[in-house]
Amino acid sequence: MHILMIECNPNGIAGIANALELGHDVTLVSVDPDFYLAASPLAEAAYAHPNCQVVKSAEAFSIEELTALARELHARKPIHGVTTYSEYHTVHTAAVAEALGLPGMSVEGARNARHKHLTRLTLDGTGIRQPRFAHVADPKDVEAAVREIGFPCVVKPSDGTASLHVLHLKDEEDLRAYLAELADVADYGRGVVRIPDLLIEEFVTGELISVESCVLGKGEVVNLGLTDRPMSGFPHFIEMGATYFSGHPLQDELFDMTTRLLNELGVDFGFIHTEFLLGADGPVLCEVNGRLIGGIVPSLMELTSGVDPYLEVIRQALGERPELPYPGRTTAGGHWFGAPIDGVVESIGFDGLTELPGFHSALAYKKPGTAVNRLSRSNFDWIGHTIFTGADRTEVNKRCAEALDRIDLRLKVEVAR
């Protein structure tokens, strides 16, 4: 079978590698294929595989150009499934699948999930609990929208990801600085052009938690488990850890809300990641991502369930019924970490972790000689992670926290002058 992968993400290269191992043909279309070579230790071998074709296209973020390219590839070698692990490309994937007559999410559902203002507007008045919000399509209207919502508030691009450019605003000075900074952001890199739409939202306090789901067809939502998301970096919102589990006191309510909102949005296919804030009055929808959760969580899902969700994404795209990664008896979790100051990485060592109970693995994202900045703004500030298992999420989170003190991080820094 021939799979068309429209962009990816660094950890998602594992899905490509697994598909190749099973004998599938994979064509990866990317604006910058070298990005994955630098970000994933699996990319070089995957690219060299005889069944892997890598197509570099400067127009991969244009749906029209991408669809035309997909038709050309399909004519040369019939494509049987279209998918992505990239948040930025979920609408593109839906559009190409529709054009080729292959399984996929409806384009409308993909748009409603991808663009945060469409999520808010579509669900407004449905009874789904959301923060008070104002949608701004023109930057000159931001100040009026902020005054409508009031300080403190949260401002976020409608098409962002990884907490990039999401900020807590406490006053007018914060707002002016934010707008000045955002005015210089025309894209997110790798050809991904930013749309002008912004959301201004009421600031809701509470634990961030997500529901991981798989939609098997229209109205057929299967909620699998929960992922907790401890945060750091305030006033920015940086996810610092994740534990995949089941059994939260609000699980039934969270599952019910997820089913209702996905149906309202028209999300009718694929693995879905839906985030909630556990506010004082109950769960409040944060955002919906129309793709498999990113980061280390697919690995956590596999550890506890024995099912590889990367591979199940591909199987579903090929029209097969996926095996579903429900949380098992063992709980798996991990913690990301960053640099305390700006500097250049000399080494990142994990020798002090290997004897700890429940240790599974650890990975450094930055090689020696790489300049890094202080963990402060977004998930892109991460420089590595650790993964542990345990009997429940309390034990796992405790083990992850204790392991942070054992990481041997060495940076070269400039002297104060």
Side-chain angles (χ1 to χ4, degrees), residues 84-98:
T84 188
Y85 302 117
S86 167
E87 171 67 19
Y88 292 128
H89 298 84
T90 51
V91 179
H92 300 68
T93 300
V96 170
E98 180 184 81

Side-chain angles (χ1 to χ4, degrees), residues 229-251:
R229 321 288 287 184
M231 307 292 284
S232 182
F234 194 81
H236 297 273
F237 298 88
I238 309 174
E239 298 175 358
M240 292 308 300
T243 306
Y244 183 57
F245 71 104
S246 64
H248 192 281
L250 296 178
Q251 179 168 303

Side-chain angles (χ1 to χ4, degrees), residues 280-320:
D281 298 323
V284 178
L285 177 65
C286 181
E287 66 180 45
V288 181
N289 301 120
R291 42 79 185 169
L292 179 68
I293 186 172
I296 59 175
V297 180
S299 297
L300 306 181
M301 297 168 83
E302 183 175 9
L303 274 175
T304 182
S305 70
V307 176
D308 178 2
Y310 286 124
L311 195 54
E312 297 311 309
V313 167
I314 289 173
R315 290 187 60 230
Q316 188 175 16
L318 292 171
E320 301 174 24

Side-chain angles (χ1 to χ4, degrees), residues 95-415:
V96 170
E98 180 184 81
L100 298 183
L102 295 171
M105 191 185 300
S106 71
V107 175
E108 180 184 18
R111 285 200 181 99
N112 286 342
R114 171 76 189 102
H115 296 296
K116 296 174 177 62
H117 72 281
L118 293 181
T119 301
R120 294 284 185 238
L121 293 169
T122 303
L123 295 177
D124 197 25
T126 63
I128 300 293
R129 195 180 294 111
Q130 302 192 94
R132 288 186 302 108
F133 70 93
H135 165 227
V136 176
D138 189 326
K140 67 180 176 56
D141 298 326
V142 170
E143 291 189 35
V146 168
R147 292 189 181 92
E148 175 189 339
I149 299 301
F151 292 111
C153 63
V154 175
V155 61
K156 61 180 71 170
S158 180
D159 61 347
T161 188
S163 301
L164 196 61
H165 307 301
V166 180
L167 191 70
H168 172 272
L169 303 180
K170 66 180 184 301
D171 53 31
E172 297 282 352
E173 184 177 347
D174 282 353
L175 174 60
R176 284 192 296 272
Y178 179 84
L179 292 176
E181 179 181 301
L182 197 65
D184 294 330
V185 180
D187 60 67
Y188 299 117
R190 291 183 288 149
V192 180
V193 179
R194 184 176 77 84
I195 65 173
D197 298 74
L198 296 172
L199 275 177
I200 315 299
E201 297 180 351
E202 131 188 56
F203 178 53
V204 177
T205 58
E207 178 187 4
L208 181 67
I209 199 164
S210 63
V211 177
E212 315 313 329
S213 312
C214 184
V215 184
L216 300 174
K218 188 173 182 179
E220 198 175 354
V221 178
V222 181
N223 295 306
L224 307 171
L226 303 170
T227 309
D228 62 12
R229 321 288 287 184
M231 307 292 284
S232 182
F234 194 81
H236 297 273
F237 298 88
I238 309 174
E239 298 175 358
M240 292 308 300
T243 306
Y244 183 57
F245 71 104
S246 64
H248 192 281
L250 296 178
Q251 179 168 303
D252 290 345
E253 183 177 2
L254 288 164
F255 280 7
D256 178 65
M257 285 182 68
T258 301
T259 297
R260 289 168 54 209
L261 70 89
L262 292 182
N263 288 332
E264 291 281 357
L265 294 173
V267 175
D268 56 1
F269 182 90
F271 283 79
I272 312 296
H273 167 64
T274 307
E275 297 182 356
F276 296 90
L277 288 160
L278 303 186
D281 298 323
V284 178
L285 177 65
C286 181
E287 66 180 45
V288 181
N289 301 120
R291 42 79 185 169
L292 179 68
I293 186 172
I296 59 175
V297 180
S299 297
L300 306 181
M301 297 168 83
E302 183 175 9
L303 274 175
T304 182
S305 70
V307 176
D308 178 2
Y310 286 124
L311 195 54
E312 297 311 309
V313 167
I314 289 173
R315 290 187 60 230
Q316 188 175 16
L318 292 171
E320 301 174 24
R321 188 177 181 90
E323 189 174 352
L324 299 178
Y326 294 100
R329 291 184 179 180
T330 298
T331 299
H335 204 292
W336 291 280
F337 62 93
I341 53 175
D342 296 351
V344 176
V345 173
E346 290 191 338
S347 64
I348 303 176
F350 301 112
D351 290 347
L353 279 62
T354 56
E355 301 300 322
L356 294 177
F359 175 75
H360 177 268
S361 59
L363 180 66
Y365 302 162
K366 306 297 183 183
K367 297 177 181 178
T370 304
V372 296
N373 56 274
R374 180 178 67 86
L375 176 78
S376 59
R377 301 181 68 83
S378 77
N379 296 356
F380 292 109
D381 292 339
W382 295 333
I383 63 172
H385 73 251
T386 64
I387 293 177
F388 281 79
T389 60
D392 53 37
R393 73 166 175 148
T394 299
E395 183 173 67
V396 169
N397 288 337
K398 183 173 182 290
R399 288 174 172 178
C400 287
E402 291 174 348
L404 295 175
D405 292 330
R406 303 260 191 131
I407 296 171
D408 185 9
L409 171 62
R410 301 186 182 221
L411 300 175
K412 180 180 179 180
V413 299
E414 292 190 4
V415 299

